[in-house]
Amino acid sequence: MASPAERIEVVCAGCGAEYETWHRRSINLILAEELTDDEVRDATSERCPECGLKVELATLIVEAKER
């Protein structure tokens, strides 16, 4: 499971463009084991629509410890 998606405003550090996107504050990989690494990466980052700069969004990732 993950926290509910919410709209956030992002200001690009590269070009200063302002845009809105959807973001989840947390993702629990213990409950959402079906997510691939690519899906997690897509859910925790955003690319500026103006200049293409990719930024990591602040997302809490909860996952099981390996033994």
mmCIF file with all atom_site columns, all heavy atoms in Angstrom, residues 1-5 24-29 31-32 35 43 59-60:
data_model
loop_
_atom_site.group_PDB
_atom_site.id
_atom_site.type_symbol
_atom_site.label_atom_id
_atom_site.label_alt_id
_atom_site.label_comp_id
_atom_site.label_asym_id
_atom_site.label_entity_id
_atom_site.label_seq_id
_atom_site.pdbx_PDB_ins_code
_atom_site.Cartn_x
_atom_site.Cartn_y
_atom_site.Cartn_z
_atom_site.occupancy
_atom_site.B_iso_or_equiv
_atom_site.pdbx_formal_charge
_atom_site.auth_seq_id
_atom_site.auth_comp_id
_atom_site.auth_asym_id
_atom_site.auth_atom_id
_atom_site.pdbx_PDB_model_num
ATOM 1   N N   . MET A 1 1  ? 0.844  -1.173 0.000  1.00 0.00 ? 1  MET A N   1
ATOM 2   C CA  . MET A 1 1  ? 0.000  0.000  0.000  1.00 0.00 ? 1  MET A CA  1
ATOM 3   C C   . MET A 1 1  ? 0.889  1.236  0.000  1.00 0.00 ? 1  MET A C   1
ATOM 4   O O   . MET A 1 1  ? 2.046  1.182  0.317  1.00 0.00 ? 1  MET A O   1
ATOM 5   C CB  . MET A 1 1  ? -0.894 0.023  1.234  1.00 0.00 ? 1  MET A CB  1
ATOM 6   C CG  . MET A 1 1  ? -1.931 -1.074 1.329  1.00 0.00 ? 1  MET A CG  1
ATOM 7   S SD  . MET A 1 1  ? -3.175 -1.109 0.044  1.00 0.00 ? 1  MET A SD  1
ATOM 8   C CE  . MET A 1 1  ? -3.947 0.466  0.169  1.00 0.00 ? 1  MET A CE  1
ATOM 9   N N   . ALA A 1 2  ? 0.254  2.332  -0.292 1.00 0.00 ? 2  ALA A N   1
ATOM 10  C CA  . ALA A 1 2  ? 0.948  3.612  -0.298 1.00 0.00 ? 2  ALA A CA  1
ATOM 11  C C   . ALA A 1 2  ? 0.003  4.665  0.262  1.00 0.00 ? 2  ALA A C   1
ATOM 12  O O   . ALA A 1 2  ? -1.199 4.452  0.338  1.00 0.00 ? 2  ALA A O   1
ATOM 13  C CB  . ALA A 1 2  ? 1.367  3.966  -1.714 1.00 0.00 ? 2  ALA A CB  1
ATOM 14  N N   . SER A 1 3  ? 0.583  5.776  0.636  1.00 0.00 ? 3  SER A N   1
ATOM 15  C CA  . SER A 1 3  ? -0.265 6.873  1.091  1.00 0.00 ? 3  SER A CA  1
ATOM 16  C C   . SER A 1 3  ? -1.078 7.381  -0.096 1.00 0.00 ? 3  SER A C   1
ATOM 17  O O   . SER A 1 3  ? -0.712 7.152  -1.246 1.00 0.00 ? 3  SER A O   1
ATOM 18  C CB  . SER A 1 3  ? 0.598  7.978  1.691  1.00 0.00 ? 3  SER A CB  1
ATOM 19  O OG  . SER A 1 3  ? 1.472  8.487  0.705  1.00 0.00 ? 3  SER A OG  1
ATOM 20  N N   . PRO A 1 4  ? -2.170 8.090  0.160  1.00 0.00 ? 4  PRO A N   1
ATOM 21  C CA  . PRO A 1 4  ? -2.983 8.605  -0.943 1.00 0.00 ? 4  PRO A CA  1
ATOM 22  C C   . PRO A 1 4  ? -2.177 9.583  -1.804 1.00 0.00 ? 4  PRO A C   1
ATOM 23  O O   . PRO A 1 4  ? -1.332 10.323 -1.294 1.00 0.00 ? 4  PRO A O   1
ATOM 24  C CB  . PRO A 1 4  ? -4.131 9.331  -0.248 1.00 0.00 ? 4  PRO A CB  1
ATOM 25  C CG  . PRO A 1 4  ? -4.106 8.888  1.163  1.00 0.00 ? 4  PRO A CG  1
ATOM 26  C CD  . PRO A 1 4  ? -2.723 8.418  1.459  1.00 0.00 ? 4  PRO A CD  1
ATOM 27  N N   . ALA A 1 5  ? -2.448 9.577  -3.086 1.00 0.00 ? 5  ALA A N   1
ATOM 28  C CA  . ALA A 1 5  ? -1.792 10.520 -3.987 1.00 0.00 ? 5  ALA A CA  1
ATOM 29  C C   . ALA A 1 5  ? -2.348 11.914 -3.750 1.00 0.00 ? 5  ALA A C   1
ATOM 30  O O   . ALA A 1 5  ? -3.529 12.082 -3.473 1.00 0.00 ? 5  ALA A O   1
ATOM 31  C CB  . ALA A 1 5  ? -2.018 10.102 -5.431 1.00 0.00 ? 5  ALA A CB  1
ATOM 32  N N   . ARG A 1 24 ? 3.007  10.578 -3.899 1.00 0.00 ? 24 ARG A N   1
ATOM 33  C CA  . ARG A 1 24 ? 2.652  9.801  -2.701 1.00 0.00 ? 24 ARG A CA  1
ATOM 34  C C   . ARG A 1 24 ? 3.779  9.977  -1.700 1.00 0.00 ? 24 ARG A C   1
ATOM 35  O O   . ARG A 1 24 ? 4.943  9.772  -2.035 1.00 0.00 ? 24 ARG A O   1
ATOM 36  C CB  . ARG A 1 24 ? 2.480  8.326  -3.036 1.00 0.00 ? 24 ARG A CB  1
ATOM 37  C CG  . ARG A 1 24 ? 1.307  8.061  -3.934 1.00 0.00 ? 24 ARG A CG  1
ATOM 38  C CD  . ARG A 1 24 ? 1.146  6.572  -4.184 1.00 0.00 ? 24 ARG A CD  1
ATOM 39  N NE  . ARG A 1 24 ? 0.119  6.313  -5.163 1.00 0.00 ? 24 ARG A NE  1
ATOM 40  C CZ  . ARG A 1 24 ? -1.175 6.219  -4.894 1.00 0.00 ? 24 ARG A CZ  1
ATOM 41  N NH1 . ARG A 1 24 ? -1.587 6.361  -3.657 1.00 0.00 ? 24 ARG A NH1 1
ATOM 42  N NH2 . ARG A 1 24 ? -2.051 5.992  -5.842 1.00 0.00 ? 24 ARG A NH2 1
ATOM 43  N N   . ARG A 1 25 ? 3.437  10.325 -0.449 1.00 0.00 ? 25 ARG A N   1
ATOM 44  C CA  . ARG A 1 25 ? 4.455  10.571 0.572  1.00 0.00 ? 25 ARG A CA  1
ATOM 45  C C   . ARG A 1 25 ? 5.147  9.297  1.031  1.00 0.00 ? 25 ARG A C   1
ATOM 46  O O   . ARG A 1 25 ? 6.276  9.339  1.512  1.00 0.00 ? 25 ARG A O   1
ATOM 47  C CB  . ARG A 1 25 ? 3.833  11.268 1.770  1.00 0.00 ? 25 ARG A CB  1
ATOM 48  C CG  . ARG A 1 25 ? 3.382  12.667 1.458  1.00 0.00 ? 25 ARG A CG  1
ATOM 49  C CD  . ARG A 1 25 ? 2.882  13.358 2.709  1.00 0.00 ? 25 ARG A CD  1
ATOM 50  N NE  . ARG A 1 25 ? 2.323  14.641 2.390  1.00 0.00 ? 25 ARG A NE  1
ATOM 51  C CZ  . ARG A 1 25 ? 2.989  15.783 2.487  1.00 0.00 ? 25 ARG A CZ  1
ATOM 52  N NH1 . ARG A 1 25 ? 4.234  15.766 2.892  1.00 0.00 ? 25 ARG A NH1 1
ATOM 53  N NH2 . ARG A 1 25 ? 2.414  16.919 2.182  1.00 0.00 ? 25 ARG A NH2 1
ATOM 54  N N   . SER A 1 26 ? 4.484  8.141  0.888  1.00 0.00 ? 26 SER A N   1
ATOM 55  C CA  . SER A 1 26 ? 5.112  6.891  1.312  1.00 0.00 ? 26 SER A CA  1
ATOM 56  C C   . SER A 1 26 ? 4.620  5.721  0.467  1.00 0.00 ? 26 SER A C   1
ATOM 57  O O   . SER A 1 26 ? 3.518  5.755  -0.069 1.00 0.00 ? 26 SER A O   1
ATOM 58  C CB  . SER A 1 26 ? 4.817  6.604  2.791  1.00 0.00 ? 26 SER A CB  1
ATOM 59  O OG  . SER A 1 26 ? 3.441  6.394  2.969  1.00 0.00 ? 26 SER A OG  1
ATOM 60  N N   . ILE A 1 27 ? 5.487  4.725  0.360  1.00 0.00 ? 27 ILE A N   1
ATOM 61  C CA  . ILE A 1 27 ? 5.162  3.480  -0.333 1.00 0.00 ? 27 ILE A CA  1
ATOM 62  C C   . ILE A 1 27 ? 5.654  2.341  0.546  1.00 0.00 ? 27 ILE A C   1
ATOM 63  O O   . ILE A 1 27 ? 6.828  2.313  0.937  1.00 0.00 ? 27 ILE A O   1
ATOM 64  C CB  . ILE A 1 27 ? 5.835  3.393  -1.717 1.00 0.00 ? 27 ILE A CB  1
ATOM 65  C CG1 . ILE A 1 27 ? 5.362  4.538  -2.612 1.00 0.00 ? 27 ILE A CG1 1
ATOM 66  C CG2 . ILE A 1 27 ? 5.551  2.043  -2.370 1.00 0.00 ? 27 ILE A CG2 1
ATOM 67  C CD1 . ILE A 1 27 ? 6.091  4.617  -3.944 1.00 0.00 ? 27 ILE A CD1 1
ATOM 68  N N   . ASN A 1 28 ? 4.787  1.414  0.874  1.00 0.00 ? 28 ASN A N   1
ATOM 69  C CA  . ASN A 1 28 ? 5.142  0.268  1.701  1.00 0.00 ? 28 ASN A CA  1
ATOM 70  C C   . ASN A 1 28 ? 5.329  -0.939 0.781  1.00 0.00 ? 28 ASN A C   1
ATOM 71  O O   . ASN A 1 28 ? 4.363  -1.533 0.314  1.00 0.00 ? 28 ASN A O   1
ATOM 72  C CB  . ASN A 1 28 ? 4.048  -0.007 2.732  1.00 0.00 ? 28 ASN A CB  1
ATOM 73  C CG  . ASN A 1 28 ? 4.442  -1.088 3.716  1.00 0.00 ? 28 ASN A CG  1
ATOM 74  O OD1 . ASN A 1 28 ? 5.247  -1.954 3.406  1.00 0.00 ? 28 ASN A OD1 1
ATOM 75  N ND2 . ASN A 1 28 ? 3.859  -1.041 4.897  1.00 0.00 ? 28 ASN A ND2 1
ATOM 76  N N   . LEU A 1 29 ? 6.579  -1.288 0.511  1.00 0.00 ? 29 LEU A N   1
ATOM 77  C CA  . LEU A 1 29 ? 6.876  -2.394 -0.407 1.00 0.00 ? 29 LEU A CA  1
ATOM 78  C C   . LEU A 1 29 ? 6.574  -3.758 0.202  1.00 0.00 ? 29 LEU A C   1
ATOM 79  O O   . LEU A 1 29 ? 6.498  -4.749 -0.517 1.00 0.00 ? 29 LEU A O   1
ATOM 80  C CB  . LEU A 1 29 ? 8.332  -2.325 -0.859 1.00 0.00 ? 29 LEU A CB  1
ATOM 81  C CG  . LEU A 1 29 ? 8.687  -1.082 -1.681 1.00 0.00 ? 29 LEU A CG  1
ATOM 82  C CD1 . LEU A 1 29 ? 10.156 -1.119 -2.065 1.00 0.00 ? 29 LEU A CD1 1
ATOM 83  C CD2 . LEU A 1 29 ? 7.804  -0.963 -2.910 1.00 0.00 ? 29 LEU A CD2 1
ATOM 84  N N   . LEU A 1 31 ? 3.731  -4.431 1.591  1.00 0.00 ? 31 LEU A N   1
ATOM 85  C CA  . LEU A 1 31 ? 2.343  -4.663 1.188  1.00 0.00 ? 31 LEU A CA  1
ATOM 86  C C   . LEU A 1 31 ? 2.143  -4.547 -0.320 1.00 0.00 ? 31 LEU A C   1
ATOM 87  O O   . LEU A 1 31 ? 1.134  -5.000 -0.840 1.00 0.00 ? 31 LEU A O   1
ATOM 88  C CB  . LEU A 1 31 ? 1.411  -3.672 1.903  1.00 0.00 ? 31 LEU A CB  1
ATOM 89  C CG  . LEU A 1 31 ? 1.444  -3.739 3.432  1.00 0.00 ? 31 LEU A CG  1
ATOM 90  C CD1 . LEU A 1 31 ? 0.583  -2.648 4.017  1.00 0.00 ? 31 LEU A CD1 1
ATOM 91  C CD2 . LEU A 1 31 ? 0.996  -5.104 3.922  1.00 0.00 ? 31 LEU A CD2 1
ATOM 92  N N   . ALA A 1 32 ? 3.089  -3.935 -1.002 1.00 0.00 ? 32 ALA A N   1
ATOM 93  C CA  . ALA A 1 32 ? 2.968  -3.733 -2.449 1.00 0.00 ? 32 ALA A CA  1
ATOM 94  C C   . ALA A 1 32 ? 4.131  -4.423 -3.160 1.00 0.00 ? 32 ALA A C   1
ATOM 95  O O   . ALA A 1 32 ? 4.852  -3.814 -3.940 1.00 0.00 ? 32 ALA A O   1
ATOM 96  C CB  . ALA A 1 32 ? 2.932  -2.245 -2.768 1.00 0.00 ? 32 ALA A CB  1
ATOM 97  N N   . LEU A 1 35 ? 5.135  -4.229 -7.092 1.00 0.00 ? 35 LEU A N   1
ATOM 98  C CA  . LEU A 1 35 ? 5.758  -3.100 -7.779 1.00 0.00 ? 35 LEU A CA  1
ATOM 99  C C   . LEU A 1 35 ? 7.165  -3.469 -8.230 1.00 0.00 ? 35 LEU A C   1
ATOM 100 O O   . LEU A 1 35 ? 7.960  -4.006 -7.468 1.00 0.00 ? 35 LEU A O   1
ATOM 101 C CB  . LEU A 1 35 ? 5.833  -1.877 -6.866 1.00 0.00 ? 35 LEU A CB  1
ATOM 102 C CG  . LEU A 1 35 ? 4.522  -1.204 -6.507 1.00 0.00 ? 35 LEU A CG  1
ATOM 103 C CD1 . LEU A 1 35 ? 4.777  -0.044 -5.546 1.00 0.00 ? 35 LEU A CD1 1
ATOM 104 C CD2 . LEU A 1 35 ? 3.797  -0.714 -7.738 1.00 0.00 ? 35 LEU A CD2 1
ATOM 105 N N   . ALA A 1 43 ? 7.514  6.361  -9.418 1.00 0.00 ? 43 ALA A N   1
ATOM 106 C CA  . ALA A 1 43 ? 6.635  6.920  -8.395 1.00 0.00 ? 43 ALA A CA  1
ATOM 107 C C   . ALA A 1 43 ? 7.359  7.870  -7.448 1.00 0.00 ? 43 ALA A C   1
ATOM 108 O O   . ALA A 1 43 ? 6.714  8.660  -6.768 1.00 0.00 ? 43 ALA A O   1
ATOM 109 C CB  . ALA A 1 43 ? 5.989  5.791  -7.591 1.00 0.00 ? 43 ALA A CB  1
ATOM 110 N N   . THR A 1 59 ? 10.043 10.706 -0.677 1.00 0.00 ? 59 THR A N   1
ATOM 111 C CA  . THR A 1 59 ? 9.105  9.604  -0.480 1.00 0.00 ? 59 THR A CA  1
ATOM 112 C C   . THR A 1 59 ? 9.706  8.629  0.516  1.00 0.00 ? 59 THR A C   1
ATOM 113 O O   . THR A 1 59 ? 10.842 8.192  0.360  1.00 0.00 ? 59 THR A O   1
ATOM 114 C CB  . THR A 1 59 ? 8.834  8.870  -1.811 1.00 0.00 ? 59 THR A CB  1
ATOM 115 O OG1 . THR A 1 59 ? 8.402  9.801  -2.792 1.00 0.00 ? 59 THR A OG1 1
ATOM 116 C CG2 . THR A 1 59 ? 7.787  7.788  -1.629 1.00 0.00 ? 59 THR A CG2 1
ATOM 117 N N   . LEU A 1 60 ? 8.928  8.281  1.542  1.00 0.00 ? 60 LEU A N   1
ATOM 118 C CA  . LEU A 1 60 ? 9.351  7.263  2.492  1.00 0.00 ? 60 LEU A CA  1
ATOM 119 C C   . LEU A 1 60 ? 9.094  5.898  1.887  1.00 0.00 ? 60 LEU A C   1
ATOM 120 O O   . LEU A 1 60 ? 7.965  5.584  1.498  1.00 0.00 ? 60 LEU A O   1
ATOM 121 C CB  . LEU A 1 60 ? 8.571  7.403  3.805  1.00 0.00 ? 60 LEU A CB  1
ATOM 122 C CG  . LEU A 1 60 ? 8.797  6.298  4.830  1.00 0.00 ? 60 LEU A CG  1
ATOM 123 C CD1 . LEU A 1 60 ? 10.228 6.300  5.320  1.00 0.00 ? 60 LEU A CD1 1
ATOM 124 C CD2 . LEU A 1 60 ? 7.815  6.448  5.980  1.00 0.00 ? 60 LEU A CD2 1
#
